[in-house]
Amino acid sequence: MTTRSETKTTLAQLLTEIEDRNPAQPEFLQAVHEVLETLAPVIAARPEYAEPGLIERLCEPERQVMFRVPWQDDRGRVHVNRGFRVEFNSALGPYKGGLRFHPSVNLGVIKFLGFEQIFKNALTGLGIGGGKGGSDFQPHGRSDAEVMRFCQSFMTELYRHIGEHTDVPAGDIGVGGREIGYLFGQYRRITNRWESVLTGKGQGWGGSLIRPEATGYGNVLFAAAMLRQRGEDLEGRTAVVSGSGNVAIYTIEKLAALGANAVTCSDSSGYVVDEKGIDLDLLKQIKEVERGRVDTYAERRGASARFVPGGRVWEVPADIALPSATQNELNSDDAATLIGNGVKVVSEGANMPTTPDAVDLFQQAGIAFGPGKAANAGGVAVSALEMAQNHARTSWTADRVEEELTHIMNDIHTTCHETAERYGAPGDYVTGANIAGFERVADAMLAQGVI
Ligand code: NDP
């Protein structure tokens, strides 16, 4: 039997090989590092996982597609963006994971997101593999017609690689209902097929009720479960939320529904703090209807709110912190500030928003820390429920979807909590999520042979 320290050495060697093979992909390497460094106990306990090649295969995408996306703006000028789809692992089901449109997108970012997605999707228990895609296109400031032409060009290549039983993308940063609509329309036109090839569709044409809300609602449910585990609840708590997109908005909504009060939101220009609590109707009007910026919120809200240009929400005292914007948005200085201000729970709505040293600080301080691959899995879970509804040509009520979501989030919490205890790391949801997700994927990969 391999000892834990021998296993650690093997994993460290593997990590070096993966670093050498994937230079200039810091986000991908950060995500791989975070998973591998927690796997030693499970590999030591279950020697079959040490089978040569299992971890190497898990860290190498099954397929990576990169393509040119040419499109014309409203003045007739041609722009060329780059499109990506990384089909990372399909041992558990068709590849599933969002599309991100943001200027910071590159292959390493998409690989980090796809790698995380493998374990997240495994944790839902719903039979979906991991993938991710996107483009370095910036939708902000573009007209609807420009966004439509971009999406049509993007899908004109992507359609060859996806399908309801192959790969089913969804939204992510910069890809919401509008973009999914244009992408779906082009897929249907090219293939002459109406199939569940994208999730996050409009509610009149195949979209699931509660899909827009699912990631934010799910993260609050996960935070509530962590508090419950400690004999506490959300009632009367103050929360800081970053971002003001899909995940942030529905995080704020669910907090209010469960008796807590979110006092911040942000975008890449800075943040708003509102002593009375964020007015959700006003925020939705500005972000979802007008596609505006958060400083407009402060202008219209009156005396209770102020806009802090370039600032970070983490300086506002709170019991709960819910990072919901982007990767590496909460560093060790921010963590020290939050801990100093008495934060009790940190739960990741975004993917990998907390830097590794900040995670260490939270865990050393005994703060309940919910990693994104568990805490924000509600979005992909309801996407899988959307696929199930499409296949059955039916649509479920909002109550039914929300009940399923609640059940799934509580199950994920229990799985992570119990797995962490079983492997000698009680209360460590990072280890629990990584090992539980890994076991499900690794078992399927071993059963399916060396492919
Ligand atoms: P949106 O595009 O709807 O919103 C993103 C928000 O984050 C905006 O407020 C945006 O501000 C801000 N943001 C994005 N990039 C940066 C940056 N580099 N610096 C500062 N602020 C930034 O995306 P979502 O709400 O869908 O996604 C947010 C996070 O949640 C992402 O990490 C995503 O991967 C994750 N996630 C999303 C899921 C979903 O169902 N949508 C599912 C699971 C995870 P600005 O407008 O100024 O760019």
Side-chain angles (χ1 to χ4, degrees):
M1 171 126 172
T2 328
T3 67
R4 211 176 263 204
S5 77
E6 281 166 350
T7 308
K8 272 190 171 166
T9 314
T10 313
L11 287 171
Q13 282 162 353
L14 265 176
L15 200 55
T16 309
E17 281 166 26
I18 293 166
E19 281 166 2
D20 290 345
R21 270 191 107 184
N22 299 281
Q25 296 186 349
E27 294 88 356
F28 173 58
L29 295 173
Q30 182 181 333
V32 171
H33 200 283
E34 185 259 329
V35 170
L36 294 200
E37 72 180 0
T38 58
L39 295 185
V42 67
I43 292 173
R46 299 186 56 185
E48 68 269 26
Y49 292 149
E51 184 208 314
L54 179 68
I55 310 270
E56 288 93 324
R57 285 188 284 139
L58 193 56
C59 294
E60 184 69 18
E62 289 173 9
R63 191 173 300 104
Q64 310 179 54
V65 187
M66 276 173 71
F67 51 95
R68 183 176 69 199
V69 190
W71 58 281
Q72 267 183 309
D73 68 21
D74 289 342
R75 292 198 277 164
R77 281 182 312 200
V78 173
H79 299 259
V80 178
N81 286 97
R82 191 169 282 172
F84 304 88
R85 187 71 186 165
V86 172
E87 297 180 334
F88 223 118
N89 192 301
S90 59
L92 291 176
Y95 309 105
K96 184 91 197 82
L99 297 171
R100 174 176 291 191
F101 292 169
H102 192 272
S104 62
V105 163
N106 57 42
L107 183 61
V109 167
I110 298 298
K111 279 175 67 181
F112 121 63
L113 290 163
F115 184 72
E116 289 280 293
Q117 199 81 42
I118 303 170
F119 305 94
K120 180 188 311 195
N121 293 4
L123 283 171
T124 68
L126 289 173
I128 37 180
K132 200 83 185 187
S135 173
D136 55 0
F137 172 69
Q138 170 62 284
H140 284 324
R142 292 290 172 194
S143 68
D144 286 353
E146 288 173 325
V147 171
M148 182 180 74
R149 285 194 292 275
F150 174 82
C151 289
Q152 289 175 341
S153 180
F154 184 85
M155 184 53 82
T156 300
E157 173 60 32
L158 186 69
Y159 89 95
R160 304 165 211 283
H161 310 289
I162 61 176
E164 64 179 329
H165 300 298
T166 316
D167 184 356
V168 184
D172 191 81
I173 290 177
V175 179
R178 174 183 61 172
E179 290 75 16
I180 293 291
Y182 295 146
L183 291 162
F184 186 79
Q186 185 72 350
Y187 180 86
R188 194 169 57 74
R189 185 174 194 199
I190 295 173
T191 61
N192 196 25
R193 285 170 70 88
W194 199 114
E195 61 183 20
S196 190
V197 71
L198 287 162
T199 54
K201 298 184 287 298
Q203 275 161 18
W205 48 278
S208 176
L209 291 167
I210 309 294
R211 174 60 189 92
E213 294 87 348
T215 308
Y217 280 20
N219 188 26
V220 176
L221 291 168
F222 195 86
M226 289 195 290
L227 275 168
R228 210 163 40 244
Q229 189 65 40
R230 297 173 168 220
E232 299 179 44
D233 63 28
L234 279 169
E235 185 71 39
R237 306 280 188 191
T238 298
V240 282
V241 176
S242 62
S244 52
N246 171 268
V247 176
I249 285 176
Y250 293 101
T251 296
I252 295 169
E253 184 164 286
K254 191 66 173 176
L255 284 165
L258 296 182
N261 193 24
V263 292
T264 64
C265 63
S266 69
D267 61 24
S268 46
S269 65
Y271 78 86
V272 162
V273 54
D274 187 337
E275 285 163 22
K276 287 193 188 157
I278 297 292
D279 175 338
L280 204 57
D281 290 340
L282 178 58
L283 185 63
K284 283 185 181 176
Q285 170 65 25
I286 292 167
K287 298 304 291 193
E288 293 186 337
V289 180
E290 300 170 22
R291 297 185 185 276
R293 314 294 296 161
V294 291
D295 56 348
T296 309
Y297 175 96
E299 274 163 36
R300 292 198 200 155
R301 175 70 160 146
S304 70
R306 72 192 159 86
F307 175 64
V308 183
R312 285 147 91 89
V313 300
W314 319 122
E315 60 203 33
V316 176
D319 307 304
I320 302 165
L322 301 162
S324 308
T326 194
Q327 63 268 16
N328 294 326
E329 55 163 315
L330 195 172
N331 63 28
S332 55
D333 290 342
D334 302 319
T337 306
L338 283 164
I339 294 166
N341 285 334
V343 76
K344 289 183 180 309
V345 172
V346 180
S347 198
E348 296 186 322
N351 284 309
M352 207 170 75
T354 316
T355 60
D357 47 357
V359 176
D360 288 346
L361 285 182
F362 288 134
Q363 291 190 323
Q364 282 156 19
I367 283 149
F369 178 80
K373 61 172 75 68
N376 71 35
V380 74
V382 174
S383 274
L385 302 182
E386 181 170 321
M387 289 162 72
Q389 292 170 73
N390 293 164
H391 290 310
R393 294 275 185 265
T394 189
S395 59
W396 300 346
T397 62
D399 283 350
R400 174 164 176 199
V401 179
E402 199 168 345
E403 209 174 290
E404 297 264 359
L405 171 66
T406 307
H407 180 69
I408 290 167
M409 294 315 298
N410 286 336
D411 253 17
I412 294 175
H413 173 269
T414 305
T415 301
C416 295
H417 189 262
E418 289 180 356
T419 306
E421 291 219 325
R422 187 153 34 96
Y423 286 99
D428 178 350
Y429 290 95
V430 175
T431 295
N434 287 345
I435 292 183
F438 170 80
E439 285 182 318
R440 287 182 185 168
V441 183
D443 288 345
M445 288 176 73
L446 287 177
Q448 292 171 27
V450 178
I451 53 165

